[in-house]
Structure formats: C-alpha cells, structure tokens
Amino acid sequence: MVLKKVGNLTLRKASLADVEPISENMRMSDRQELTMLNLEPIQALTYPWTQDGTETYTLFSGRKPIAMMGTGWDGSLLNHAKVWMLGTKDIQRNYIPFLKGSKDVVKILQGSYDLIYNYVPVSDNETIHWLLWCGFSFESEVVKINSYPFLKFIRCHNSKNSFNNEL
C-alpha cells in the first residue's frame, strides 16, 4: 500500500527484503554516522523488527528501495519517540521529489507522538539543514556519543501544542 507518492518516489510500509539493497548502497554520511555509533548498516536497519511499537517505512524510486525510516516509542512515560532515516546515494539523484515529500513524510512519522527526536553528528551539515527545513529544532548543547559530538533534534506535534516545535 502506497502511503505517499511524489514523482517517481513512493513511501510504503517496510519489509525485511528492503534492508539488504539499502545497506549495500548506503550513502557515505549515514555510514559515517553508524561508524560513530559502532553499528553496521544491516544491524541498524534490522533493529526496528526486534522492538515493539515501531513503525518502519521504505522510500522507493520506482521499484528500487532508496531509504528506510521510522519511529519507535522511547520507553518514557511521555508520548515521545525516536525518529530515524538511513538512505542510499539515490536520494541525491531524486532530491527535488525527496524534498517536496519530506514535510508530509515527517507528519506521517510524527503520527500521534507529542514529540519525536534523535541525534545527528555536528559535522553533518546537509542533514542538519534538511531537518531544519522539515520543521525540527535543535538543542544548543552538544552531546558526546562514543566521544563524537552530536546535536539533539526535536519536533513537537503541531496540532497538540500552541507553540511551534519547542518544549
């Protein structure tokens, strides 16, 4: 079932069959981030299937899986979830439709969660700019994960708050 379509790109519920082609063709910035987290691409992409309460989606260019993304409840008493995305070099080849659909996909990922968040390497300027464009805010404090500097990004559910993307 197609959840979102923009140009040649479609978003569908993920399948384990989508993991291998994405892990084998992962873009360099995502590989570098996973290295900082001591994870292999295949580990990161299969992890959601080991957790309860996760939603995982695959972005296709035609029939080719080019990114996987999702959310998972973080276990807090609050209605918060971690959000993530790992992609291939084909995202850059499809950047205009990718950008056009990004904000709607973020709304799908947000779902009914009050807040979604995660961390991005301080050095990943392209992803930071994309996250800002998608409506995420950043905490100013740099967090060290495995001795690497990361920034926490967050997005509040607009319809549940009278303020925009602030805790």
Side-chain angles (χ1 to χ4, degrees):
M1 177 173 98
V2 173
L3 299 170
K4 179 76 182 163
K5 182 166 178 51
V6 177
N8 193 39
L9 300 181
T10 56
L11 184 72
R12 299 182 182 135
K13 283 282 200 176
S15 141
L16 280 172
D18 305 332
V19 168
E20 189 175 346
I22 294 170
S23 68
E24 290 175 351
N25 298 296
M26 193 169 286
R27 59 189 171 170
M28 187 55 65
S29 61
D30 287 344
R31 284 188 184 281
Q32 290 169 338
E33 181 177 348
L34 291 177
T35 298
M36 292 176 193
L37 299 171
N38 296 322
L39 292 169
E40 293 294 325
I42 200 91
Q43 290 174 291
L45 291 167
T46 56
Y47 179 76
W49 277 274
T50 68
Q51 303 301 302
D52 291 331
T54 61
E55 292 288 335
T56 309
Y57 306 94
T58 301
L59 182 66
F60 290 85
S61 174
R63 294 176 175 247
K64 183 179 185 180
I66 65 167
M68 192 174 282
M69 65 206 71
T71 54
W73 182 54
D74 71 358
S76 72
L77 297 175
L78 303 171
N79 192 19
H80 296 181
K82 278 195 170 180
V83 63
W84 60 275
M85 183 184 94
L86 296 167
T88 69
K89 303 165 217 145
D90 289 297
I91 289 175
Q92 199 63 36
R93 293 181 193 122
N94 294 278
Y95 209 62
I96 298 301
F98 175 78
L99 284 178
K100 284 182 179 180
S102 289
K103 290 181 181 181
D104 287 339
V105 171
V106 168
K107 288 177 188 175
I108 291 169
L109 293 169
Q110 181 93 46
S112 63
Y113 291 112
D114 294 333
L115 181 137
I116 54 177
Y117 72 96
N118 209 331
Y119 299 85
V120 63
V122 169
S123 59
D124 193 348
N125 290 323
E126 185 176 359
T127 299
I128 290 170
H129 285 109
W130 173 72
L131 288 165
L132 285 167
W133 187 80
C134 288
F136 286 88
S137 299
F138 286 84
E139 292 186 354
S140 58
E141 183 180 332
V142 174
V143 176
K144 293 283 185 163
I145 302 175
N146 296 332
S147 301
Y148 294 100
F150 282 76
L151 289 173
K152 184 176 185 180
F153 59 92
I154 59 172
R155 184 179 186 275
C156 294
H157 200 295
N158 290 336
S159 67
K160 293 186 177 187
N161 298 297
S162 60
F163 47 89
N164 190 19
N165 291 327
E166 294 182 20
L167 286 173

